[in-house]
Amino acid sequence: MAFLDNSGDIILDAVLTDTGRMRLAKGDGSFNITKFALGDDEINYALYNKNHASGSAYYDVEILQTPVLEAFTNNTSILKSKLLSISRTNLLYLPEIKHNTTDGLAANTTNSITTVLVDKDTADTFDSGGNAIKSYSLNQETIFITFDQGIVSNAIGNGSDVDLDADLWETQYIVEMDNRFGYLADKSGIQAVPSFIDDDNIASYYLSTTTNSNFFGDSGRNMNGTVISGPRGSRLQFLIGSSTDLASSTYLFTQLGGTTVAADSITSDTDGTYHIDTTIRITGATTGYRVDLPIRYVKNQ
Amino acid sequence: MATTFKTLTANDITNTRTVLHEAIPLTGTISSGTYADENIKTYSHGMFTSVFDYPYLSSSANHIFDLATGYSDNSGLSGTYGGDQESKKINIYTQMAQVLMGYDVNGAVQDFDMDGNLVTSPAGTNGSEGSGKMREVFFINFARLLGKDEIKKGSFELALVTGGLPSAFGASAPYYANGLADNGGTLGPVLTLGDYSATSSYFVNSPAGEYGLLYSGSREPNPGSAFGIVFYQAAIAVVSASVWGNPIGGGPWTGADPGQDGPSACGPFMTGLSPTGVGTVSGSWISLMTSSATLDQINNAQRNRIKNISFNNTVELNSTIYFCRVAHNEFNYSANPTYLNSSKIRVKNSTSDQPVSYITTVGLYSSDNELLAVAKLSEPLKKDPNTELTLRVRLDY
């Protein structure tokens, strides 16, 4: 009779992230591990073959052969997709977060990037009738960057008829963006305060439906003009303002960006523009669903 | 409520301390010219010589140890020459002694002690057990890269060629470790020193930490017969010049061990290779120390007589272990974008199917959701409602 496998616990060696090292170096007690999360960044669930001819033992044979990368030490480059704890096992659909370009601010039609005009001169030159954010006058913006949460399939009912389960409703979002380039503002154009800024100048904003109501639009069955066909959760709406560095100087543009000549409907100027391409990451704090929004900061040459 | 984090409780976190040892073998070829002395660095101040494991101008080079030589102001050699070189020799000794041996009750720097009892003996007296001092010594200061937290007690060995050496040890001329002919000359015997029995009998009366005495392999380890001291935490070996001959004012003279029969038995101290600008010297150790020979020249001669050095270092590894306990009803779903197809879970056909997820990464977070540490699995680990896991994540400091 063979022995039973008694290898027991799985022992893993952890490495500190750059933020972890920074907090450890501060020595102010901010390095305090209090919780954990599990990630599956490398996994492609499309490889899960429920129709494998050899039976259920082979459904995930390709997934289990996935090679796993060593740890990145950049805290924003790893654990992009987390595993989710939901006590129920009978869920067949999970909500997603979708960029709403029909009711919200549309992306540039040419390059599919949401555009921020960093100063008045640029806005005056390239005013496109509301198809870009004018950073100098955020409080006059009427169309916002909008993300809708919900189930994109109406297989379990139309969103105007069926509610999203309460335990899947996003009540808090985390927005991460490069603090050197810009800041987050609510629908009134009021600048939000980052919860923290990490060692790579990534600012994290925690937005809650209860304490940051001006970042949220109509939700649930009241959500109109949505890209969510099934049950709907919350709607996040915000604006992006440019930093003083971008508005007053071309330094960061020449260091990190590029120039465009005779671009598109927004930046169709023969004199050309400076631009910086970046992304803003929106994560649902409840479901962990994550969306990256490409952003282009534009400055007139 | 869906969630992506699980809080660690006090029962999930524990601390451990692990002691690791590495074996450090250093062959004499490194210190005596494998790289035509391009791995030997001298300085304009001339106070010590550095030995690297590769030509030191290369970025690949690692610092191995420094070699320094000196004698006490209380030594009989003091005042025999005078001048700048004598000051340097005394200054080196005094600096090392004040760091490693400290001060007596009157604030005077204590000379290196050969028995560890720190009893002060009058200047120039030798040999009486319990009072012996080592006033003429050379130092081997190991780089922190090798010594790490400390040298493991009882593991240190230093083999020196103590007799005549007509050519550079480790140079092109053939060498026979058992003391046979070398290019027709007579090669002196090899003296092996070690901190024998130090695992149970080391000393703790130094301000620089614990130390053990270096004995000849042919001698019974007993106080008064030591040839040197190894300071474990400082990673410094202090070796009496008595290994080279008959220094004035120090050393155990009673035995007939190699190198203790007087300067004439030592033979000429000579090097065949030398760093640029240092030059070769010849003469007994004492004649060099009492002459205008520079410390670089003397260090050069001594390093060519190192046959082997070996020890084990010690690293204290402090670890925090986080027990990440995953219950059957946790982490069975994923926020991976590929997990859904038009919001439908790919791994399920119907609501009655079990959800499945695959773990590749464990992230440790602060209370404000900042990722502080990451651990990776070697392969994806399947998680479904039928399994419970405990992932032990170890963070070393």
Side-chain angles (χ1 to χ4, degrees):
Chain A
M1 188 172 290
F3 293 112
L4 289 171
D5 180 4
N6 64 350
S7 53
D9 299 344
I10 299 164
I11 304 173
L12 307 169
D13 282 328
V15 294
L16 292 174
T17 63
D18 47 3
T19 296
R21 287 197 299 271
M22 184 185 74
R23 291 195 175 196
L24 202 57
K26 279 182 178 176
D28 58 359
S30 59
F31 183 86
N32 185 23
I33 292 171
T34 61
K35 54 189 171 184
F36 73 93
L38 304 178
D40 60 356
D41 291 358
E42 293 94 342
I43 302 299
N44 176 9
Y45 285 92
L47 298 176
Y48 194 89
N49 183 3
K50 295 189 295 280
N51 302 312
H52 198 288
S54 300
S56 58
Y58 292 84
Y59 287 178
D60 59 1
V61 67
E62 286 188 85
I63 289 178
L64 291 172
Q65 291 171 353
T66 302
V68 178
L69 293 168
E70 286 187 319
F72 300 155
T73 54
N74 185 352
N75 60 309
T76 56
S77 303
I78 199 163
L79 271 152
K80 293 189 291 292
S81 66
K82 299 187 182 75
L83 299 191
L84 192 58
S85 293
I86 304 171
S87 56
R88 291 183 291 158
T89 61
N90 61 350
L91 289 172
L92 192 58
Y93 290 86
L94 286 175
E96 301 178 49
I97 298 170
K98 291 292 183 185
H99 185 202
N100 186 339
T101 56
T102 55
D103 200 50
L105 186 72
N108 184 305
T109 53
T110 303
N111 53 26
S112 301
I113 299 176
T114 301
T115 306
V116 178
L117 308 175
V118 300
D119 56 20
K120 185 173 188 305
D121 173 52
T122 309
D124 290 344
T125 306
F126 305 120
D127 186 3
S128 58
N131 209 14
I133 297 174
K134 293 184 280 294
S135 178
Y136 83 96
S137 59
L138 286 181
N139 57 354
Q140 296 172 31
E141 296 287 350
T142 55
I143 303 176
F144 316 106
I145 297 173
T146 301
F147 285 89
D148 295 345
Q149 187 235 351
I151 293 171
V152 298
S153 165
N154 56 11
I156 56 175
N158 192 291
S160 57
D161 303 323
V162 181
D163 288 325
L164 184 68
D165 293 342
D167 58 350
L168 300 178
W169 194 296
E170 284 292 356
T171 56
Q172 190 180 36
Y173 290 84
I174 304 162
V175 180
E176 297 164 277
M177 59 187 292
D178 197 315
N179 197 53
R180 293 171 297 178
F181 303 151
Y183 57 87
L184 197 71
D186 66 13
K187 291 186 287 185
S188 302
I190 298 172
Q191 183 173 349
V193 179
S195 297
F196 56 82
I197 301 169
D198 77 3
D199 58 303
D200 301 311
N201 269 315
I202 303 298
S204 295
Y205 298 84
Y206 281 76
L207 307 172
S208 165
T209 52
T210 53
T211 57
N212 307 96
S213 57
N214 214 20
F215 279 94
F216 293 89
D218 291 335
S219 58
R221 297 190 194 192
N222 297 325
M223 190 187 294
N224 295 315
T226 180
V227 292
I228 303 293
S229 53
R232 302 153 190 167
S234 54
R235 167 175 282 180
L236 177 69
Q237 293 179 302
F238 58 85
L239 293 166
I240 303 292
S242 71
S243 68
T244 305
D245 284 344
L246 291 195
S248 61
S249 164
T250 59
Y251 176 75
L252 287 174
F253 286 102
T254 55
Q255 289 288 310
L256 304 170
T259 56
T260 307
V261 177
D264 47 54
S265 59
I266 295 175
T267 58
S268 55
D269 176 37
T270 53
D271 293 338
T273 59
Y274 295 106
H275 69 261
I276 295 177
D277 289 335
T278 181
T279 58
I280 293 178
R281 179 167 298 148
I282 297 96
T283 307
T286 303
T287 63
Y289 198 88
R290 198 169 195 169
V291 182
D292 286 342
L293 175 69
I295 292 281
R296 170 169 286 191
Y297 293 94
V298 174
K299 183 179 179 67
N300 191 25
Q301 271 194 358
Chain B
M1 177 65 76
T3 180
T4 54
F5 293 107
K6 183 171 184 182
T7 301
L8 294 160
T9 67
N11 291 331
D12 298 326
I13 304 173
T14 186
N15 297 302
T16 63
R17 176 178 170 273
T18 310
V19 177
L20 303 176
H21 301 292
E22 293 174 311
I24 307 294
L26 298 172
T27 61
T29 51
I30 291 177
S31 60
S32 61
T34 293
Y35 298 101
D37 282 353
E38 289 179 359
N39 64 321
I40 308 299
K41 187 176 184 181
T42 58
Y43 303 87
S44 57
H45 54 63
M47 298 289 277
F48 62 87
T49 301
S50 296
V51 178
F52 292 76
D53 65 351
Y54 198 65
Y56 63 83
L57 291 176
S58 165
S59 60
S60 303
N62 294 301
H63 185 200
I64 299 297
F65 62 80
D66 295 322
L67 205 58
T69 309
Y71 54 77
S72 165
D73 203 19
N74 299 321
S75 164
L77 301 183
S78 179
T80 55
Y81 170 66
D84 181 51
Q85 284 301 317
E86 176 167 328
S87 299
K88 288 185 177 181
K89 292 162 188 170
I90 292 175
N91 288 348
I92 275 284
Y93 184 97
T94 307
Q95 177 195 343
M96 299 296 282
Q98 72 184 74
V99 172
L100 298 174
M101 297 304 292
Y103 305 87
D104 64 16
V105 291
N106 299 315
V109 176
Q110 300 198 106
D111 288 342
F112 288 99
D113 201 282
M114 69 170 62
D115 53 18
N117 67 5
L118 302 189
V119 173
T120 304
S121 58
T125 60
N126 309 306
S128 57
E129 188 169 320
S131 62
K133 296 290 181 182
M134 291 184 282
R135 296 196 169 95
E136 301 82 21
V137 297
F138 65 95
F139 306 95
I140 305 175
N141 297 21
F142 294 100
R144 186 56 59 197
L145 178 72
L146 301 187
K148 297 288 176 65
D149 288 340
E150 64 177 272
I151 292 173
K152 184 185 178 187
K153 298 175 186 72
S155 72
F156 187 86
E157 276 200 347
L158 168 65
L160 300 167
V161 180
T162 55
L165 188 62
S167 63
F169 177 62
S172 57
Y175 164 68
Y176 303 95
N178 59 1
L180 299 178
D182 173 15
N183 266 359
T186 302
L187 190 67
V190 173
L191 173 67
T192 301
L193 305 178
D195 60 338
Y196 308 115
S197 80
T199 48
S200 57
S201 60
Y202 56 89
F203 298 90
V204 293
N205 52 4
S206 160
E210 298 153 349
Y211 65 91
L213 300 178
L214 295 176
Y215 298 100
S216 161
S218 64
R219 284 191 167 217
E220 281 294 316
N222 61 71
S225 65
F227 281 80
I229 301 173
V230 56
F231 290 86
Y232 296 113
Q233 285 81 27
I236 295 174
V238 183
V239 183
S240 167
S242 64
V243 298
W244 305 132
N246 185 11
I248 299 171
W253 311 118
T254 54
D257 292 272
Q260 291 193 55
D261 296 332
S264 60
C266 183
F269 234 15
M270 190 170 68
T271 68
L273 297 169
S274 62
T276 305
V278 172
T280 59
V281 291
S282 62
S284 69
W285 192 89
I286 289 177
S287 67
L288 298 181
M289 291 298 277
T290 56
S291 71
S292 61
T294 65
L295 285 173
D296 282 339
Q297 291 171 322
I298 297 168
N299 291 335
N300 199 33
Q302 291 177 135
R303 70 176 172 80
N304 280 306
R305 289 166 173 268
I306 296 173
K307 179 173 180 285
N308 271 321
I309 303 173
S310 66
F311 58 88
N312 288 359
N313 66 23
T314 303
V315 180
E316 287 182 21
L317 204 59
N318 290 291
S319 306
T320 303
I321 296 175
Y322 299 90
F323 292 92
C324 300
R325 306 181 204 278
V326 184
H328 66 92
N329 59 350
E330 294 171 332
F331 300 107
N332 294 318
Y333 295 91
S334 172
N336 189 316
T338 66
Y339 194 68
L340 303 176
N341 181 15
S342 297
S343 292
K344 183 180 174 296
I345 298 172
R346 284 185 192 268
V347 297
K348 297 181 74 169
N349 279 326
S350 66
T351 56
S352 59
D353 289 345
Q354 298 279 12
V356 179
S357 64
Y358 297 87
I359 306 165
T360 65
T361 312
V362 183
L364 302 177
Y365 285 82
S366 63
S367 56
D368 55 357
N369 296 341
E370 270 290 83
L371 181 60
L372 302 181
V374 182
K376 298 288 290 192
L377 279 78
S378 60
E379 59 185 28
L381 184 63
K382 186 176 183 177
K383 177 70 185 74
D384 63 32
N386 298 318
T387 56
E388 291 206 343
L389 302 166
T390 300
L391 303 171
R392 289 183 63 196
V393 180
R394 185 175 62 195
L395 197 53
D396 296 330
Y397 297 94

